[in-house]
Amino acid sequence: MPSLRSSSCGKPLLLEMVLLMTLGIFVAGFTEKSHSALSVVEDSGPVSVDDEEAHVEELDEADLDVFQPTSQWQTLKPGQAVPAGSHVRLNLQTGQREAKLGEEQQARYLREGQRVVNTEAPSFTAEELKEALKMFKEGVEDPRDTQAQQDEDLKARFRPLGELKKDLEALNMVVETDVQIMRRLIDQFNSSNATVAQRVKALLELEYLVHQVDNAQNLVSMGGMTLVINCLNGSDVELREIAAFVLGSAVSSNPSVQVEAVGGGALQKLLTILAIPHPIPVKKKALFAVAALLRNFPHAQIRFLKLGGMQVLADLFQTAGGEGLRIKIITLIYDMIVEKELMLQSGLDQIPDSSHQERVRQYSQVTLLPVLAEQGWCQLVPEVLAAVDHDWREKVLRTLLAMMPRCQEEFRLNRALGHSLGDLQRQYQELADNERELGEEEGYFGEILTLVDTVMLKVR
């Protein structure tokens, strides 16, 4: 066979062969299919997890490297899937495949107002698409749906303010002020048809209200204090007890009400309850009211002493079955002594004004310590040291120190007191040592031991 080069028609034949090979390769580029199946994506924007379900289901989890064509020719990577309708060609100079959008795709995008893909715009990676597919298959809830459900649950738990107002109006509710309630309770108490139980209930509700300073003062202005004081010498024992309770709550830390109560004769009636036979609960309430009347009120303390109040308390102190009252009486004595001392000392540290001078003058007339010495309290108070309660012992020791200016000599002659102090010193020394071993250098028992040592030092 003659050589192609020697044939006269060699050059045309060679050109035909080259063209046929190029056409074959070009057609193969069009017909080549990726191993992964991909449906047509109408939107040329970045792939989103919000695409239709059919699109997500057709993705192959093993290979999601999808080529995104634009209007310009771009080089295809090996194994990349090409969307249907794209133009593909073989670059003879580089030997690489290239692809771009087909004319029909570009025309359809422009006709429908869609944009051509910008390869530099943000898009999801293959790993992100795999994770989205995994979440879709596992049924992971959308955070937006969860938040919406939380909002619905919150609305279900609370009702709008407008609905609540309508419900209250429908119930025809009337909100009473404290003053209105107190006036209603007083009217119920004064009703001729009221039973003892109803009057007791009315007094207990008043007691709850008069803890507030303003309410206690309003009780005085509406005549309620007179009603309460009159109940102190009534015929029913239960009413006396609750009336004393109301009175003590009303005058506590309320000077103006203290003045009204003392002026209304409350002190005399309370001492009468303490002096004559009554159940212990009644006497406890009466003693509570007396203590509330006397604290920080020197005028009431002077009147109390003139009425023989300490003698009444001495008799009560020695009453059989009144052990629980003893520590309350001792606490009242201690408070009155210390209160006067603090007032007299404070006058030395400030510029005295007229009100302060008057209080100092009144406290100077409170002769409690001489009365205690005269009425045998120097012998009565040490008896309570025999109690087993640590708190009781502490209060007795502090009261002994407060009474020392008038009772020191009697304390020295009291052998029973000396023995009690010695026993307490040994007991609390051991307890204080145990506290220190536990790391408490200034514990409670160490404080009581200091009180015992101080009293012993003064009575030697």
Side-chain angles (χ1 to χ4, degrees):
M1 174 183 290
S3 172
L4 291 176
R5 292 186 178 183
S6 62
S7 171
S8 60
C9 59
K11 290 183 178 180
L13 180 60
L14 179 61
L15 181 60
E16 287 182 7
M17 293 179 65
V18 171
L19 290 176
L20 288 174
M21 291 175 60
T22 302
L23 180 61
I25 294 173
F26 189 77
V27 172
F30 269 110
T31 58
E32 180 180 355
K33 293 185 180 179
S34 173
H35 293 291
S36 61
L38 183 68
S39 64
V40 178
V41 180
E42 292 294 334
D43 187 356
S44 61
V47 180
S48 170
V49 294
D50 291 329
D51 288 341
E52 294 180 359
E53 181 178 356
H55 295 171
V56 176
E57 291 179 349
E58 293 176 358
L59 291 174
D60 186 355
E61 293 184 28
D63 185 6
L64 292 176
D65 191 4
V66 181
F67 176 78
Q68 295 183 351
T70 66
S71 58
Q72 304 296 325
W73 288 104
Q74 298 181 79
T75 302
L76 288 172
K77 296 179 181 179
Q80 274 190 316
V82 181
S86 302
H87 283 187
V88 181
R89 74 178 183 183
L90 178 66
N91 191 324
L92 297 179
Q93 294 180 352
T94 62
Q96 295 180 339
R97 290 188 304 143
E98 297 178 346
K100 71 173 183 177
L101 288 173
E103 288 78 10
E104 294 183 0
Q105 290 177 310
Q106 295 188 44
R108 182 169 64 254
Y109 291 157
L110 293 176
R111 182 173 61 254
E112 296 177 358
Q114 296 173 313
R115 61 181 177 84
V116 178
V117 173
N118 179 6
T119 57
E120 297 181 358
S123 72
F124 290 95
T125 64
E127 292 298 327
E128 290 175 337
L129 290 173
K130 290 179 181 180
E131 184 65 22
L133 180 62
K134 180 180 179 182
M135 292 175 64
F136 177 79
K137 289 185 175 181
E138 292 179 354
V140 178
E141 294 184 358
D142 192 332
R144 291 172 295 182
D145 296 339
T146 303
Q147 183 62 40
Q149 183 61 41
Q150 292 177 352
D151 294 341
E152 291 296 328
D153 293 342
L154 187 62
K155 291 180 180 179
R157 290 173 55 192
F158 300 99
R159 299 175 60 193
L161 182 60
E163 292 184 8
L164 293 176
K165 288 182 177 180
K166 291 180 180 179
D167 290 345
L168 291 176
E169 292 175 359
L171 292 174
N172 222 4
M173 294 182 62
V174 178
V175 179
E176 291 182 301
T177 64
D178 286 352
V179 173
Q180 291 172 331
I181 295 174
M182 292 168 63
R183 195 175 301 280
R184 175 172 54 81
L185 292 173
I186 292 174
D187 292 339
Q188 290 177 2
F189 186 93
N190 289 327
S191 174
S192 58
N193 298 325
T195 63
V196 173
Q198 290 173 337
R199 289 177 177 173
V200 168
K201 182 180 179 182
L203 287 178
L204 286 174
E205 293 188 22
L206 280 175
E207 191 278 331
Y208 174 79
L209 293 170
V210 297
H211 282 278
Q212 297 185 25
V213 174
D214 293 341
N215 287 340
Q217 294 173 355
N218 290 330
L219 180 69
V220 173
S221 63
M222 64 179 61
M225 180 59 69
T226 302
L227 179 148
V228 172
I229 293 174
N230 290 337
C231 286
L232 293 174
N233 59 355
S235 58
D236 188 87
V237 175
E238 188 177 10
L239 282 177
R240 292 180 191 177
E241 178 185 354
I242 305 304
F245 191 26
V246 176
L247 179 65
S249 299
V251 301
S252 295
S253 303
N254 203 329
S256 62
V257 181
Q258 284 179 310
V259 172
E260 293 292 335
V262 172
L267 198 52
Q268 294 93 316
K269 292 180 172 62
L270 289 170
L271 289 176
T272 301
I273 293 176
L274 295 174
I276 64 177
H278 276 93
I280 294 299
V282 179
K283 290 183 179 290
K284 284 184 178 180
K285 291 295 191 296
L287 184 59
F288 161 70
V290 169
L293 269 176
L294 298 183
R295 283 193 174 91
N296 299 308
F297 193 12
H299 174 71
Q301 295 177 18
I302 295 170
R303 190 168 183 80
F304 171 77
L305 294 175
K306 289 181 178 179
L307 292 172
M310 288 310 303
Q311 187 59 55
V312 173
L313 294 185
D315 295 337
L316 182 62
F317 193 88
Q318 301 174 75
T319 301
E323 291 78 8
L325 297 174
R326 291 181 179 180
I327 195 62
K328 297 181 183 296
I329 294 173
I330 289 176
T331 303
L332 174 59
I333 293 173
Y334 174 79
D335 290 344
M336 291 174 64
I337 295 173
V338 174
E339 181 184 307
K340 177 180 177 179
E341 292 299 322
L342 291 177
M343 174 56 64
L344 297 178
Q345 292 176 11
S346 65
L348 303 176
D349 301 330
Q350 59 180 310
I351 300 175
D353 55 18
S354 58
S355 62
H356 180 76
Q357 290 178 347
E358 178 58 24
R359 288 180 63 81
V360 170
R361 185 189 67 79
Q362 291 182 13
Y363 271 111
S364 64
Q365 296 178 8
V366 179
T367 57
L368 178 59
L369 283 176
V371 171
L372 292 174
E374 292 171 3
Q375 297 181 1
W377 286 96
C378 298
Q379 297 293 326
L380 293 175
V381 174
E383 295 178 1
V384 189
L385 280 178
V388 296
D389 189 275
H390 297 296
D391 182 62
W392 285 27
R393 292 173 178 175
E394 178 191 359
K395 290 179 178 178
V396 173
L397 290 169
R398 293 187 184 279
T399 305
L400 291 177
L401 289 173
M403 296 170 62
M404 200 66 68
R406 282 286 181 165
C407 298
Q408 187 173 21
E409 189 61 30
E410 290 194 47
F411 289 161
R412 287 175 179 172
L413 299 175
N414 190 336
R415 293 185 177 181
L417 175 59
H419 289 304
S420 296
L421 291 173
D423 293 340
L424 292 177
Q425 187 181 47
R426 288 187 291 272
Q427 178 182 349
Y428 284 107
Q429 182 66 60
E430 182 179 353
L431 293 172
D433 291 341
N434 293 335
E435 282 183 330
R436 283 190 288 271
E437 290 178 0
L438 296 174
E440 298 183 26
E441 295 297 331
E442 298 180 356
Y444 176 65
F445 295 125
E447 183 179 351
I448 296 180
L449 177 62
T450 301
L451 290 174
V452 173
D453 292 341
T454 306
V455 173
M456 291 184 67
L457 183 62
K458 290 183 179 292
V459 298
R460 284 179 180 175

